[in-house]
Amino acid sequence: MNRYQDRFIQVVQYIEANLDEPINTNTLCDLVGLSKYHFHRQCSIFFGMSVMAFVKLLKLKRASYQLTYRSDMKVIDIALASGYDSHEAFSRAFKKYFSQSPSEFRGAPNWGPWRSKYEPIIKLRTQIMDKKVFFDVEITDFPKTLVAVMEHRGSPILLNKVLSSFIQWRRENSLPPHKSKTFNLIYDDPALTDAENYRFDVCCAIENPVEENNYGVINKTIPAGLCAKIRHVGSDDAIGAAVRYLYSTWIRQSNYELRDFPIFFERVSFFPDVLESDMITDVYLPIESPC
């Protein structure tokens, strides 16, 4: 990685960590030692968009999640938290990007066009994380855990709808994240699986089996056993690098074999309650000692 890439990665990391603060171009120039006369052009080439467009998209992404998953938040509060001084200004910006007003998005979010706006950011974050060649891996003995599961079967783009339904089910059953650990079972690689065949389970730990319900929530068990664990800090956009490291570099260099259970995540802290850069996800790869 050359020094120019290092500088722009610093810019990305600074913006993500300071999204709630005013982003000043002079501060960014000083951070990476670049002249303001060249900074914008070079950043635009690296980001695939202007610096301020990058900042705006990150703020609107958080606003989208707040509208969808935090029904207790008022639109005006989301607008102010996103840096807009009025409901009207926020609505204009939001609709310009996503072709839906905030209220329309809250009622029936259209995730397909929404995701297309974020492809450059996903690509950028993946590019940065793929440069990382080493991850800290811990061997842990995971306990048998009963989980309530809502299964997603189909395009990853539609996963947000399942997440919304599962959050509502948890609220109705008094199982908030601080009382009930949150897990995801990852059966398929979205890069290698046809959209219609993609499988992903949204789960939370429970003490007693769930009864039949209108949400389609069912019981499953994460079995006890050894796991290789990586703590991923940051956006889900870049979590694939940790998964690929476990499946390729680490497992080849270890003395372990893969166990007959899919890789799974434990969500320790959540976006949009925290900044994407502060999200914590523990990635577990089920393993066993060779015979």
Side-chain angles (χ1 to χ4, degrees), residues 2-290:
N2 62 43
R3 60 192 178 93
Y4 283 103
Q5 287 179 315
D6 287 341
R7 286 171 171 174
F8 299 132
I9 289 172
Q10 279 186 276
V11 172
V12 172
Q13 292 172 338
Y14 179 88
I15 291 171
E16 291 183 331
N18 294 275
L19 200 60
D20 286 329
E21 305 298 327
I23 302 296
N24 183 286
T25 301
N26 290 333
T27 300
L28 297 178
C29 290
D30 292 342
L31 176 70
V32 294
L34 286 174
S35 164
K36 64 181 180 180
Y37 299 108
H38 308 297
F39 176 79
H40 287 293
R41 286 189 179 184
Q42 289 180 304
C43 278
S44 294
I45 292 170
F46 186 75
F47 289 176
M49 65 185 75
S50 71
V51 173
M52 289 302 107
F54 179 77
V55 172
K56 180 178 285 187
L57 270 177
L58 290 183
K59 289 186 176 183
L60 288 177
K61 179 177 183 179
R62 182 173 61 179
S64 302
Y65 274 61
Q66 290 168 333
L67 289 166
T68 305
Y69 303 126
R70 301 295 179 263
S71 57
D72 57 322
M73 292 188 70
K74 296 178 181 179
V75 175
I76 184 58
D77 292 333
I78 295 173
L80 295 174
S82 302
Y84 295 89
D85 57 8
S86 70
H87 184 292
E88 291 73 22
F90 174 60
S91 293
R92 284 195 300 270
F94 196 93
K95 191 163 188 174
K96 179 180 178 181
Y97 273 86
F98 307 123
S99 301
Q100 288 183 290
S101 70
S103 297
E104 290 169 340
F105 192 88
R106 169 164 272 178
N110 188 347
W111 291 106
W114 179 93
R115 182 175 175 83
S116 70
K117 293 291 185 181
Y118 285 100
E119 286 298 338
I121 291 179
I122 294 170
K123 183 178 179 180
L124 176 63
R125 284 172 165 165
T126 301
Q127 172 188 337
I128 291 172
M129 280 299 291
D130 281 347
K131 301 295 182 183
K132 188 171 180 178
V133 296
F134 178 79
F135 293 80
D136 290 325
V137 179
E138 173 189 348
I139 305 302
T140 184
D141 197 1
F142 193 87
K144 180 178 179 181
T145 304
L146 180 64
V147 289
V149 174
M150 186 174 285
E151 296 180 326
H152 171 71
R153 302 294 182 264
S155 173
I157 293 174
L158 303 176
L159 179 58
N160 298 81
K161 185 176 180 180
V162 175
L163 293 174
S164 296
S165 296
F166 191 66
I167 289 170
Q168 184 59 35
W169 178 84
R170 292 182 75 167
R171 286 174 180 157
E172 293 180 10
N173 288 271
S174 301
L175 289 169
H178 70 270
K179 290 177 55 178
S180 167
K181 292 182 178 181
T182 302
F183 298 96
N184 302 139
L185 306 185
I186 319 298
Y187 297 94
D188 302 301
D189 183 344
L192 302 175
T193 306
D194 291 338
E196 64 271 18
N197 297 323
Y198 183 69
R199 300 168 298 165
F200 185 103
D201 288 351
V202 186
C203 325
C204 68
I206 51 176
E207 295 183 0
N208 301 301
V210 299
E211 299 179 354
E212 187 174 346
N213 56 85
N214 294 330
Y215 285 89
V217 174
I218 61 175
N219 299 292
K220 291 188 181 182
T221 300
I222 301 176
L226 291 179
C227 290
K229 170 186 166 184
I230 289 177
R231 170 152 287 191
H232 172 75
V233 180
S235 171
D236 270 7
D237 293 344
I239 202 169
V243 173
R244 288 189 290 274
Y245 180 82
L246 286 171
Y247 271 120
S248 57
T249 304
W250 184 83
I251 195 67
R252 286 201 306 265
Q253 296 175 353
S254 77
N255 294 318
Y256 293 96
E257 302 288 347
L258 295 174
R259 212 160 22 97
D260 188 20
F261 194 77
I263 197 165
F264 61 97
F265 300 161
E266 180 182 348
R267 303 295 186 171
V268 180
S269 63
F270 294 84
F271 176 71
D273 296 336
V274 300
L275 294 174
E276 282 189 277
S277 59
D278 294 334
M279 289 174 63
I280 299 175
T281 305
D282 287 336
V283 180
Y284 290 92
L285 180 67
I287 55 174
E288 59 188 3
S289 297

